[in-house]
């Protein structure tokens, strides 16, 4: 084995140890990691690709096989094979995240959407620095003023600068989008893991209840909740979060059930891991990829629902600058000032399109089988 | 087939009961006291107590639930707090408007979406294919309420081509038979009414249908691409059948099963689109009724509209299921 191959092997060992730590937690990684490493070493010495492939398989579970196991396995196979034949290793095998990043970047549309999202996020964060005017202070002389050099997108019925309100509106949309998705993902992970792990009556009861919630079209359920919670931003976040929980839980449960049967869970149980630690330390990291994809994909729906509630007059209340509410106010002036409707809607559409494209790209990069 | 339909009908019953239960508990447990809302400034403790007793709000929750269930099953959905009319009557007079609009949107989205999808699949990677798929991507990201407002600006305000609100011209009288304007005007032979109804429906139906249309186009394209490569399609071609026959009779028929499945998924977006789009175009349907109910704190109205919309969604899904069983014997026998 030449120097390059040895280096590569050492690097790989390090990487696998890191993965092991991630999977097993520190206390276990010593004990089990030692055993796994022995096996890996044997695999590496023997003829490589397959032994490692198995090790990785065992480690990562089926859900990630295509995305990670295969590509890592294959590249390792190639790299090590070449190394053994006496050829210098051209480049080192890509890591998990680098691999995903590389695949994501090959998708130009997805890359463009990422840039667009970064721009929107920057606009939201630096709103006070970017916005040319205050989003709340109106000028009497500028009521319903047409777009001009001073006010690029015109002014609304209260003489407030539309561009500044749109810039501040990005804050609300993104906050609600991320917050609602974060909460619903967290809740659905907990419920999904528990029902998948324990199964039985718990599973049946919880899932039938969630199925019933899913019998309502999403926005209808959100409207029902808003009608009883009352209008406003916090209630809108709450309603939108609840509405998203059933489908997210279903997804977590389905992937967790298949992960539950894998060898690494059996192994964890065999060495006496507690149920909680199996659920959250072993199963969860291995089903994270589809969860992240689903969460990203649901951000656009969440932003759309926020805007829809705002448009119906049930969401964020004026004078707060929110895109849907701006649309709802603007529609009263559709004859005299159509631009009051055009721009906020365009902002919603562009943001949703960017999130959809980004979600598609991320899905293809993380798990090409889902394409 | 009959057995299959009966089985599906039975399966829908617990779902409908579940919907009634969820609506009841959400509205009764979380909602603010409707009595205080209704009486407003006239509220005195005695009046509130009398009204609570009258409405049975002082009974235990289980009793209230049983009564609500019994009433809902016999078609009594309560009385509107605002108009003091039975909700069921108001709903039934508005339901045909929503159904007519939803059906028109669905027909539009299936016909146009499947058509575009087939055309794109046949000319895979052509300019048309790429343009159609990109347009589909944009269509799927379009907020329906914004699209509606943009259509109003373009075709209603600027060009003056289409009416921007309502179901039928104010100067046209139409005898109500079924409540479906198009059917009613054909029955009466009233062609002016028919033209007016179609014109009023054009923008809202397009608006609701466009998202589903985009999804159908993308789905049809990908299933067709799979089917076109099958042996039986090659056999059909080599028999010397016309290309059109091969595509429509052999390929599309086999690609129709996933498309029909997707129909069930899309019904939800039609119902949701109806609520939002009716608000944009002041369409006198269940959606506007519900939104007005929320703004008036009229809980029986909200409750009943939610029930009707969710129930029609479930029933429409049931029809899709039955259609699915009809198309695919494997499902029926399973």
């Amino acid at each position: 084995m030449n120097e390059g191959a040895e280096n590569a092997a050492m690097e790989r060992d390090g990487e696998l140890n890191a993965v092991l730590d991630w999977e097993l937690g520190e206390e276990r990684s010593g004990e089990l990691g030692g055993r796994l490493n022995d096996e890996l070493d044997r695999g590496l010495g023997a003829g490589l690709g397959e032994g490692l492939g198995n090790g990785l398989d065992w480690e990562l579970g089926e859900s990630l096989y295509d995305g990670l196991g295969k590509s890592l396995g294959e590249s390792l196979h190639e790299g090590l094979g070449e190394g053994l034949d006496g050829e210098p290793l051209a480049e080192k095998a890509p890591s998990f995240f680098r691999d995903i990043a590389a695949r994501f970047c090959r998708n130009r549309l997805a890359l463009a959407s990422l840039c667009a999202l970064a721009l929107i996020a920057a606009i939201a964060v630096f709103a006070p620095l970017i916005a040319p005017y205050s989003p709340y202070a109106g000028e009497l002389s500028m009521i319903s003023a047409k777009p001009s050099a001073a006010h690029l997108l015109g002014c609304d019925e209260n003489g407030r600068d539309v561009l500044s309100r749109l810039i501040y509106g990005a804050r609300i949309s993104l906050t609600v989008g991320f917050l609602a998705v974060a909460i619903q993902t967290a809740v659905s992970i907990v419920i999904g893991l528990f029902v998948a792990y324990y199964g039985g009556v718990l599973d049946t009861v919880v899932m039938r209840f969630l199925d019933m919630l899913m019998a309502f079209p999403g926005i209808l359920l959100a409207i029902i909740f808003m009608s009883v919670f009352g209008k406003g931003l916090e209630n809108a976040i709450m309603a939108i979060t609840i509405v998203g929980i059933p489908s997210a839980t279903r997804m977590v449960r389905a992937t967790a059930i298949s992960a539950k049967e894998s060898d690494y869970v059996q192994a964890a149980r065999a060495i006496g891991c507690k149920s909680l630690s199996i659920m959250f330390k072993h199963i969860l990291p291995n089903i994270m990829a589809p969860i992240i994809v689903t969460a990203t994909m649901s951000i656009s729906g969440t932003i759309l629902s926020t805007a829809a509630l705002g448009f119906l007059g049930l969401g964020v209340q004026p004078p707060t600058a929110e895109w849907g509410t701006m649309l709802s106010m603007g529609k009263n002036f559709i004859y005299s000032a159509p631009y009051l409707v055009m721009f906020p809607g365009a902002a919603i559409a562009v943001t949703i399109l960017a999130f959809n494209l980004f979600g598609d790209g991320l899905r293809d990069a993380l798990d090409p089988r889902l394409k | 087939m009959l057995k299959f339909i009966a089985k599906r009908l039975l399966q829908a019953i617990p779902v409908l009961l579940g919907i009634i239960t969820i609506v009841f508990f959400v509205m009764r447990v979380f909602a603010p006291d409707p009595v205080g809302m209704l009486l407003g400034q006239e509220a005195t403790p005695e009046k509130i107590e009398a009204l609570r007793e009258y409405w049975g709000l002082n009974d235990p929750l289980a009793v209230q639930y049983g009564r609500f269930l019994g009433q809902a099953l016999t078609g009594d959905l309560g009385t509107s707090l605002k108009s003091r009319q039975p909700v069921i009557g108001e709903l039934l007079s508005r339901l045909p408007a929503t159904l007519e609009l939803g059906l028109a949107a669905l027909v539009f989205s299936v016909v146009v979406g499947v058509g575009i999808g087939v055309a794109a699949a046949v000319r895979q990677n052509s300019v048309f294919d790429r343009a159609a798929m990109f347009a589909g991507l944009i269509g799927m990201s379009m907020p329906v309420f914004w699209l509606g407002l943009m259509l109003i600006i373009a075709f209603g305000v600027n060009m003056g081509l289409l009416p921007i609100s309502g179901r039928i011209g104010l100067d046209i009288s139409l005898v109500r038979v079924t409540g479906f304007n198009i059917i009613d005007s054909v029955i009466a032979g009233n062609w002016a009414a028919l033209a007016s109804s179609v014109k009023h429906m054009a923008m809202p139906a397009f608006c609701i249908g466009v998202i589903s249309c985009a999804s159908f186009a993308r789905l049809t394209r990908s299933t067709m691409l799979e089917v076109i490569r099958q042996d039986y399609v090659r056999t059909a071609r080599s028999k010397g059948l016309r290309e059109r026959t091969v595509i429509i009779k052999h390929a599309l028929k086999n690609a129709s099963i996933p498309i029909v499945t997707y129909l069930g998924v899309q019904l939800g977006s039609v119902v949701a689109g109806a609520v939002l789009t009716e608000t944009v175009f002041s369409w006198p349907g269940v959606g506007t009724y519900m939104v007005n109910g929320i703004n008036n704190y009229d809980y029986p109205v909200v409750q009943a509209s939610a029930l009707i919309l969710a129930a029609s969604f479930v029933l429409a899904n049931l029809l899709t299921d039955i259609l699915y069983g009809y198309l695919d014997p494997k499902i029926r026998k399973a």
Side-chain angles (χ1 to χ4, degrees):
Chain A
M1 211 185 265
N2 67 21
E3 212 175 298
E6 259 173 37
N7 283 341
M10 274 166 64
E11 224 168 86
R12 237 143 260 149
D13 256 12
E15 219 161 84
L16 273 160
N17 274 328
V19 179
L20 262 180
D21 286 344
W22 170 54
E23 156 70 19
L24 295 166
E26 274 175 25
E27 72 240 64
R28 291 281 173 206
S29 73
E31 179 189 327
L32 198 67
R35 248 188 290 159
L36 185 66
N37 266 342
D38 286 350
E39 203 169 284
L40 277 175
D41 284 347
R42 242 183 293 139
L44 280 166
L48 308 162
E50 274 166 27
L52 239 184
N54 287 339
L56 275 171
D57 248 354
W58 182 64
E59 176 62 33
L60 294 161
E62 284 169 8
S63 67
L64 279 178
Y65 180 82
D66 266 16
L68 179 61
K70 208 166 161 189
S71 66
L72 249 183
E74 272 173 16
S75 48
L76 277 175
H77 191 98
E78 279 170 26
L80 286 165
E82 272 174 22
L84 278 178
D85 289 337
E87 301 283 322
L89 280 171
E91 22 177 342
K92 57 182 189 172
S95 74
F96 180 41
F97 291 105
R98 215 179 300 158
D99 198 35
I100 291 170
R103 242 177 299 160
F104 185 86
C105 293
R106 244 173 277 149
N107 182 346
R108 255 181 284 163
L109 217 48
L111 206 58
S113 68
L114 181 64
C115 297
L117 288 182
L119 187 69
I120 297 170
I123 288 175
V125 171
F126 300 111
L129 300 176
I130 301 171
Y133 301 91
S134 152
Y136 300 113
E139 268 177 74
L140 279 177
S141 61
M142 297 306 290
I143 284 179
S144 298
K146 290 206 158 49
S148 63
H151 297 272
L152 284 176
L153 303 183
C155 289
D156 69 4
E157 71 279 8
N158 292 320
R160 296 171 298 199
D161 183 52
V162 171
L163 178 62
S164 306
R165 287 180 67 75
L166 278 185
I167 289 173
Y168 274 87
R171 294 185 145 193
I172 305 257
S173 288
L174 292 189
T175 312
V176 177
F178 280 106
L179 201 63
V181 169
I183 302 173
Q184 81 194 23
T185 305
V187 173
S188 63
I189 284 176
V190 174
I191 304 179
L193 278 179
F194 268 88
V195 296
Y197 190 79
Y198 290 106
V201 183
L202 177 75
D203 184 30
T204 315
V205 171
V206 172
M207 292 321 285
R208 284 300 85 73
F209 176 70
L210 294 180
D211 281 350
M212 260 160 211
L213 281 181
M214 282 177 85
F216 293 86
I219 187 75
L220 183 60
L221 200 57
I223 292 174
I224 297 175
F225 279 123
M226 288 311 286
S227 73
V228 296
F229 292 162
K231 301 166 181 178
L233 180 60
E234 291 82 6
N235 291 344
I237 297 178
M238 195 147 70
I240 291 168
T241 306
I242 297 176
V243 168
I245 288 176
S247 61
T249 307
R250 228 189 211 187
M251 197 278 306
V252 174
R253 174 183 170 271
T255 43
I257 281 182
S258 69
K260 197 177 107 183
E261 303 305 326
S262 349
D263 291 338
Y264 64 86
V265 173
Q266 302 287 331
R269 210 174 278 152
I271 58 172
C273 288
K274 292 208 178 76
S275 294
L276 272 181
S277 114
I278 293 179
M279 277 188 256
F280 290 94
K281 281 190 178 168
H282 297 256
I283 298 180
L284 183 59
N286 285 291
I287 60 171
M288 228 30 221
I291 292 178
I292 291 172
V293 172
T294 318
T296 316
M297 300 266 223
S298 49
I299 293 177
S300 63
T302 313
I303 292 178
L304 187 59
S305 303
T306 318
L309 288 179
F311 176 73
L312 290 174
L314 303 175
V316 181
Q317 294 299 300
T320 312
E322 192 269 336
W323 296 339
T325 315
M326 287 172 73
L327 260 185
S328 158
M329 297 283 118
K331 77 170 191 282
N332 301 325
F333 304 92
I334 202 159
Y335 281 99
S336 56
Y339 50 87
L340 289 183
V341 166
M342 286 180 197
F343 299 123
I348 302 170
V350 167
T351 311
I352 290 171
L353 183 64
F355 270 110
N356 279 344
L357 290 174
F358 177 72
D360 276 356
L362 194 66
R363 176 196 58 193
D364 296 345
L366 272 173
D367 196 346
R369 278 178 318 167
L370 293 172
K371 199 170 186 175
Chain B
M1 191 68 200
L2 269 178
K3 203 177 149 197
F4 172 76
I5 294 176
K7 201 173 137 198
R8 279 296 137 95
L9 275 173
L10 284 178
Q11 282 174 349
I13 292 173
V15 181
L16 286 174
L17 281 180
I19 286 176
I20 296 178
T21 311
I22 289 176
V23 169
F24 171 82
F25 279 101
V26 168
M27 300 299 292
R28 289 293 157 91
V29 178
F30 297 117
D33 191 358
V35 176
M37 290 284 184
L38 181 71
L39 291 175
Q41 292 182 339
E42 302 165 34
T44 59
E46 296 79 40
K47 272 188 178 172
I48 288 181
E49 196 49 37
L51 205 55
R52 287 190 70 87
E53 195 59 45
Y54 176 70
W55 278 345
L57 291 173
N58 290 334
D59 297 337
L61 208 58
V63 176
Q64 289 191 43
Y65 172 64
R67 189 166 48 220
F68 179 74
L69 200 62
Q71 286 174 342
L73 292 178
T74 52
D76 177 7
L77 294 174
T79 308
S80 162
L81 301 182
K82 186 139 189 280
S83 70
R84 309 287 166 106
Q85 297 293 314
V87 174
I88 187 77
E90 296 190 331
L91 262 179
L92 285 182
S93 71
R94 283 162 166 270
L95 192 59
T98 298
L99 290 181
E100 191 175 37
L101 184 60
L103 277 176
L106 207 58
V107 169
F108 158 76
S109 67
V110 171
V111 171
V112 176
V114 170
I116 291 177
V118 170
V122 172
R123 298 183 202 102
Q124 192 191 358
N125 291 330
S126 65
V127 178
F128 173 78
D129 180 22
R130 281 159 199 271
M133 287 309 114
F134 190 68
L137 213 59
I138 293 179
M140 286 169 79
S141 305
M142 193 71 86
V144 280
F145 42 94
W146 183 56
L147 180 65
L149 292 170
M150 299 316 280
L151 291 174
I152 288 180
I153 292 175
F155 295 101
V157 178
N158 287 348
M159 292 187 223
L161 284 177
L162 294 169
I164 64 168
S165 69
R167 277 181 88 187
I168 195 164
L170 293 172
D171 50 339
I172 293 172
S173 62
L174 180 62
V175 187
R176 185 187 165 100
V177 186
T178 58
F180 290 82
N181 275 354
I182 292 189
I183 299 177
D184 285 354
S185 46
V186 172
I187 292 175
N190 188 344
W191 307 121
L194 181 67
S196 175
S197 306
V198 172
K199 267 187 170 178
H200 277 81
M201 199 185 286
M203 284 200 291
F206 173 80
C207 196
I208 299 176
V210 84
I211 293 182
S212 310
C213 180
S215 324
F216 275 121
R218 290 171 69 90
L219 179 78
T220 307
R221 176 180 176 275
S222 59
T223 17
M224 277 298 278
L225 283 178
E226 242 165 64
V227 172
I228 283 179
R229 293 190 173 77
Q230 299 289 325
D231 286 341
Y232 55 80
V233 172
R234 195 173 307 138
T235 311
R237 272 209 189 105
S238 56
K239 278 198 302 189
L241 293 180
R242 279 190 311 165
E243 185 64 20
R244 181 188 296 188
T245 318
V246 174
I247 294 296
I248 294 177
K249 280 208 167 161
H250 294 254
L252 184 58
K253 207 171 173 189
N254 280 291
S256 63
I257 290 170
I259 297 173
V260 169
T261 320
Y262 204 55
L263 198 63
V265 179
Q266 286 304 313
L267 287 169
S269 95
V270 170
V271 174
V275 177
L276 291 165
T277 312
E278 283 181 6
T279 310
V280 175
F281 291 95
S282 314
W283 188 263
V286 180
T288 36
Y289 187 56
M290 183 175 179
V291 173
N292 288 339
I294 294 174
N295 287 327
N296 295 328
Y297 300 100
D298 196 342
Y299 291 101
V301 166
V302 179
Q303 191 167 288
S305 323
L307 271 182
I308 290 283
L309 286 175
S312 47
F313 176 56
V314 170
L315 291 178
N317 260 318
L318 188 75
L319 287 180
T320 328
D321 261 10
I322 292 172
L323 184 63
Y324 192 33
Y326 168 76
L327 281 173
D328 190 351
K330 276 183 281 180
I331 307 283
R332 196 163 60 215
K333 298 274 153 47

